[in-house]
């Protein structure tokens, strides 16, 4: 993206040109962006890794498998808690993969990801979990801890959020064609971003913990909305010049 497009985008949300430019410089310094040429930016190495995780929602359902009742666990007891940057990256990684804290330093999720522990371990390491963390499978919990584990996620709230978000997307889809381009771009971002964030941080729980079909239906609505929003933003950004990065 070129600076001109970034400034126009920021203006939609009341963000000043100066703030946009300062933020671009900070993102370059943190390796989230790369300055391809004067006034033009691409994703940096850290940005590519994060974007891949964010876009994981598109195929997430196809990477699931039937749950056999066991768990993927992460033990963080040996990890430094004084390093705030590492701690924040660790917490974000655990959250993105749907882990919840069962006890002190022990985080779990249902083992319903295809390729099991190895796949979850690789995903966690790619998005910020220290490679020294112990990631393993756990089965045959006693009845008390098994019940406690299954209650770590508010599944009724998750299911209600699928229904409410799907309704909001359908309402917005009916309104977007009637809006001027700038208003449609802003509206599609605000509504779509909430839905995408919901899917990116969805724990992808299996049955019988949750209604899997309800989640699948919501995902399909998000995909349809994402396509409409993509077309709107292509038209919005096309008004500016394009970066020639080769």
């Amino acid at each position: 993206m070129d600076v001109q497009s970034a400034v126009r985008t920021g203006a939609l949300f009341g963000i000043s040109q100066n703030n946009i430019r300062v933020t671009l410089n900070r993102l370059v310094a943190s390796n989230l962006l790369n300055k391809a040429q004067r006034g033009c930016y691409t994703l940096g190495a850290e940005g590519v890794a994060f974007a891949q995780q964010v876009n994981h929602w598109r195929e997430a359902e196809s990477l699931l498998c039937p749950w056999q009742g066991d768990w993927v666990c992460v033990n963080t007891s040996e990890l430094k808690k004084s390093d705030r940057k590492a701690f924040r990256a660790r917490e974000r990684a655990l959250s993105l993969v749907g882990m919840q804290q069962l006890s002190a330093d022990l985080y779990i999720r249902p083992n319903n990801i295809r390729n099991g522990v190895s796949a979850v371990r690789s995903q966690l390491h790619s998005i910020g979990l220290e490679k020294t963390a112990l990631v393993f499978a756990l089965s045959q919990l006693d009845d008390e801890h098994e019940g406690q584990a299954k209650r770590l996620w508010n599944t009724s709230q998750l299911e209600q959020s699928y229904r409410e978000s799907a309704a909001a997307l359908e309402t917005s889809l009916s309104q977007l064609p009637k809006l001027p381009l700038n208003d449609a771009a802003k509206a599609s971002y605000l509504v779509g971003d909430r839905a995408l964030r919901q899917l990116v941080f969805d724990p992808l729980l299996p049955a019988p913990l949750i209604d899997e079909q309800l989640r699948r239906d919501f995902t399909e609505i998000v995909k349809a909305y994402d396509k409409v929003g993509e077309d709107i933003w292509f038209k919005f950004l096309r008004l500016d010049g394009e970066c020639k990065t080769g």
Side-chain angles (χ1 to χ4, degrees):
M1 179 180 284
D2 60 86
V3 172
Q4 183 181 6
S5 295
V7 169
R8 282 188 64 236
T9 300
L12 278 181
F13 304 96
I15 304 172
S16 72
Q17 177 175 324
N18 182 64
N19 280 347
I20 290 292
R21 293 181 181 276
V22 168
T23 300
L24 287 172
N25 289 332
R26 288 176 176 170
L27 292 173
V28 169
S30 63
N31 208 23
L32 285 166
L33 288 184
N34 175 54
K35 199 166 187 178
Q37 62 187 54
R38 182 178 176 83
C40 288
Y41 299 84
T42 60
L43 289 176
E46 294 292 330
V48 168
F50 187 67
Q52 288 174 342
Q53 176 61 31
V54 169
N55 288 324
H56 177 72
W57 68 270
R58 298 176 186 275
E59 69 276 358
E61 289 289 339
S62 67
L63 300 178
L64 302 180
C65 62
W67 185 42
Q68 304 302 319
D70 56 336
W71 309 87
V72 179
C73 301
V74 177
N75 187 324
T76 63
S77 61
E78 300 299 318
L79 304 180
K80 293 182 180 179
K81 297 178 175 58
S82 57
D83 186 336
R84 301 307 299 172
K85 182 178 180 181
F87 179 79
R88 287 193 297 270
R90 181 191 316 150
E91 290 291 298
R92 184 180 68 180
L94 293 169
S95 180
L96 280 168
V97 180
M99 311 291 289
Q100 289 285 354
Q101 190 171 14
L102 179 64
S103 61
D105 300 319
L106 183 64
Y107 296 78
I108 70 170
R109 65 152 294 116
N111 188 9
N112 66 320
I113 307 294
R114 191 192 306 165
N115 297 323
V117 173
S118 61
V120 175
R121 182 189 294 117
S122 177
Q123 185 180 4
L124 284 166
H125 288 167
S126 71
I127 56 177
L129 179 69
E130 298 95 324
K131 290 182 170 55
T132 54
L134 183 61
V135 184
F136 58 97
L138 176 67
S139 61
Q140 298 183 344
L141 285 169
D142 60 74
D143 291 344
E144 180 180 351
H145 286 95
E146 182 76 14
Q148 182 182 346
K150 291 179 177 179
R151 293 191 297 271
L152 289 174
W153 297 267
N154 190 335
T155 53
S156 60
Q157 186 178 74
L158 273 172
E159 291 176 351
Q160 182 63 22
S161 70
Y162 296 147
R163 298 186 186 94
E164 292 176 351
S165 296
L169 291 171
E170 289 173 346
T171 298
S172 182
L173 280 172
S174 68
Q175 297 172 342
L176 287 176
K178 307 170 188 176
L179 299 176
L181 180 58
N182 282 16
D183 293 341
K186 182 176 181 179
S188 64
Y189 176 84
L190 292 174
V191 176
D193 182 63
R194 285 193 291 269
L196 288 175
R197 180 177 177 80
Q198 186 174 335
L199 281 181
V200 168
F201 284 93
D202 192 280
L204 297 171
L205 299 174
L209 299 183
I210 204 165
D211 185 339
E212 292 178 304
Q213 189 59 50
L214 192 61
R215 184 183 63 234
R216 294 189 192 107
D217 293 343
F218 172 55
T219 301
E220 290 306 310
I221 294 174
V222 176
K223 288 180 179 179
Y225 193 91
D226 186 58
K227 180 61 173 65
V228 172
E230 182 181 279
D231 292 342
I232 290 171
W233 275 87
F234 177 79
K235 293 174 184 176
F236 176 80
L237 294 174
R238 190 174 55 181
L239 299 177
D240 294 321
E242 297 179 358
C243 290
K244 302 298 190 293
T245 61

